[in-house]
């Protein structure tokens, strides 16, 4: 069919069609996967910028589909959000993450919560039930939410954030700096911390402006009483510079890639405060 694409439109149609059908197959495969053990969570360490000790881990979804291969969460999540499967999926992630907290003992676990799930009117109530059922200390659960939830749902989001913080959970604003009016959100919403997006690291150390911007964002976070996390740290010099800029917590391939839960204990032994 691509040969027919002389005017450019046909090729585009084919691409669209291909995309649509892969959407459909991801949907139907996911429905099955939710009842099998194809889905797992990997855990990436977050470390103290000053001492390098393990502070917490972030749970990241992995799907090894027998038919589709490895499906990235960046592809899967938007499709599940659109189809409505996200609620089921996200509850699975929460349950699995809570079980991980139980296994780890006292290492906090960060869980990414889709705006679609966070907006659910029963979110805080169901979370409270899950915390009780899992019998874990709520402060060990760190919820990572994105701007998306704040934009579309101001009052509801405020209320839900307040409710989950009252339960004792921590709330972090993820991907800070990728949206458009992040600064006001930091003021308007009661958060525990912010995760500065890895795109901020791109020009760090090369252009003095980039370093100044990072410094300002870190200081802003601190002035609002937030823990400041930087993600996507890939090199030693980035880590050092971020430490000099007073970042609290760092995450990235330089320290560790996402790993299976069983490997966190060994990482922790190597990275405890002296
Ligand atoms: P995110 O929440 O911003 O997660 C961080 C992503 O950056 C992860 O990609 C992680 O593997 C990657 N990363 C970590 N360190 C580095 C680094 O040093 N350099 C680079 N280039 N990347 C690094 P991953 O696992 O592919 O996840 C992609 C996105 O999918 C996540 O971005 C998050 O938005 C979403 N996601 C993943 N798991 C879940 C989940 O359980 N639920 C929901 N709702 N979303 C999830
Ligand atoms: Ca995240
Ligand atoms: Ca992020
Ligand atoms: Ca992201």
């Amino acid at each position: 069919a691509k040969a027919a694409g002389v005017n450019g439109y046909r090729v585009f149609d084919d691409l669209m069609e291909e995309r649509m059908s892969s959407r459909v197959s991801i949907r139907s495969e996911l429905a099955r996967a939710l009842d099998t053990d194809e889905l797992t969570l990997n855990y990436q360490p977050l470390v103290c910028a000053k001492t390098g000790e393990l502070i917490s881990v972030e749970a990241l979804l992995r799907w090894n589909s027998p038919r589709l291969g490895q499906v990235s969460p960046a592809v899967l999540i938007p499709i599940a959000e659109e189809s409505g499967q996200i609620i089921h999926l996200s509850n699975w992630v929460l349950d699995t993450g809570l079980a991980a907290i139980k296994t780890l003992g006292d290492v906090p676990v960060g869980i990414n919560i889709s705006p679609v799930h966070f907006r659910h009117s029963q979110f805080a109530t169901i979370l409270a039930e899950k915390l009780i059922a899992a019998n874990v200390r709520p402060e060990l659960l760190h919820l990572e939410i994105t701007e998306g939830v704040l934009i579309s749902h101001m009052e509801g989001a405020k209320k839900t954030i307040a409710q989950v913080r009252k339960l004792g959970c921590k709330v972090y604003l993820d991907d800070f700096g990728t949206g458009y009016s992040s600064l006001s959100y930091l003021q308007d919403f009661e958060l525990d911390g912010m995760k500065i997006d890895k795109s901020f690291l791109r020009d760090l150390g090369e252009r003095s402006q980039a370093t100044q911007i990072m410094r300002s964002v870190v200081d802003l976070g601190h002035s609002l009483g937030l823990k400041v996390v930087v993600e996507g740290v890939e090199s030693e010099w980035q880590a050092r510079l971020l430490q000099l800029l007073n970042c609290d917590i760092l995450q990235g391939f330089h320290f560790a890639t996402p790993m299976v839960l069983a490997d966190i204990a060994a990482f922790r032994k190597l990275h405890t405060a002296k």
Side-chain angles (χ1 to χ4, degrees):
K2 295 230 158 81
V6 267
N7 58 10
Y9 288 103
R10 189 55 199 272
V11 171
F12 183 66
D13 280 354
D14 283 355
L15 275 176
M16 291 260 288
E17 220 173 273
E18 212 171 278
R19 237 171 255 165
M20 294 279 282
S21 68
S22 77
R23 258 170 189 271
V24 170
S25 57
I26 285 176
R27 242 186 243 187
S28 60
E29 289 298 301
L30 177 61
R32 214 175 39 82
L34 281 164
D35 301 319
T36 65
D37 57 0
E38 292 165 28
L39 297 169
T40 52
L41 294 181
N42 276 357
Y43 299 85
Q44 186 178 31
L46 277 70
V47 303
C48 173
K50 296 215 159 58
T51 65
E53 76 180 293
L54 178 68
I55 297 291
S56 64
V57 297
E58 176 178 6
L60 294 159
L61 185 64
R62 295 293 177 263
W63 182 19
N64 189 7
S65 158
R67 274 180 232 173
L68 305 169
Q70 294 280 350
V71 182
S72 159
V75 172
L76 169 63
I77 297 291
I79 293 175
E81 284 174 338
E82 211 178 79
S83 70
Q85 289 164 304
I86 189 69
I87 303 289
H88 191 10
L89 177 58
S90 193
N91 275 313
W92 178 87
V93 171
L94 263 177
D95 292 337
T96 309
L98 287 168
I101 295 176
K102 196 84 191 159
T103 305
L104 290 170
D106 51 5
V107 181
V109 174
I111 307 250
N112 294 286
I113 303 292
S114 154
V116 178
H117 194 199
F118 200 77
R119 275 201 293 267
H120 193 277
S121 61
Q122 299 296 308
F123 181 81
T125 313
I126 293 169
L127 182 64
E129 290 170 1
K130 285 185 187 300
L131 285 164
I132 292 167
N135 189 26
V136 302
R137 278 154 48 209
E139 67 270 24
L140 296 177
L141 179 62
H142 295 184
L143 301 177
E144 299 190 5
I145 59 171
T146 51
E147 247 182 43
V149 70
L150 309 181
I151 295 171
S152 55
H153 192 57
M154 281 284 206
E155 290 314 310
K158 251 184 215 175
K159 206 170 120 194
T160 305
I161 291 170
Q163 287 171 334
V164 302
R165 289 185 80 227
K166 202 163 172 199
L167 291 174
C169 301
K170 311 276 182 202
V171 180
Y172 281 73
L173 183 62
D174 202 358
D175 297 345
F176 179 85
T178 55
Y180 39 96
S181 38
S182 311
L183 293 181
S184 63
Y185 292 131
L186 286 182
Q187 262 195 356
D188 291 349
F189 294 88
E190 300 244 349
L191 301 159
D192 295 284
M194 60 194 282
K195 298 187 77 173
I196 300 176
D197 191 73
K198 47 184 167 285
S199 58
F200 272 82
L201 294 180
R202 211 167 28 218
D203 298 326
L204 201 68
E206 275 166 42
R207 302 178 50 201
S208 63
Q209 273 169 325
T211 309
Q212 286 310 323
I213 289 170
M214 180 63 88
R215 189 196 301 277
S216 311
V217 173
V218 174
D219 290 349
L220 173 81
H222 284 156
S223 73
L224 294 168
L226 302 175
K227 283 259 184 268
V228 178
V229 183
V230 179
E231 52 184 16
V233 180
E234 292 182 353
S235 69
E236 175 70 32
W237 68 262
Q238 284 178 334
R240 284 184 194 207
L241 182 51
L242 291 166
Q243 184 192 341
L244 287 174
L245 296 178
N246 271 328
C247 300
D248 301 300
I249 299 169
L250 306 178
Q251 174 181 10
F253 298 159
H254 171 63
F255 301 101
T257 53
M259 56 183 83
V260 294
L261 184 63
D263 288 346
I264 294 293
F267 182 91
R268 185 188 194 181
K269 252 183 221 147
L270 288 169
H271 302 264
T272 23
K274 306 269 145 46

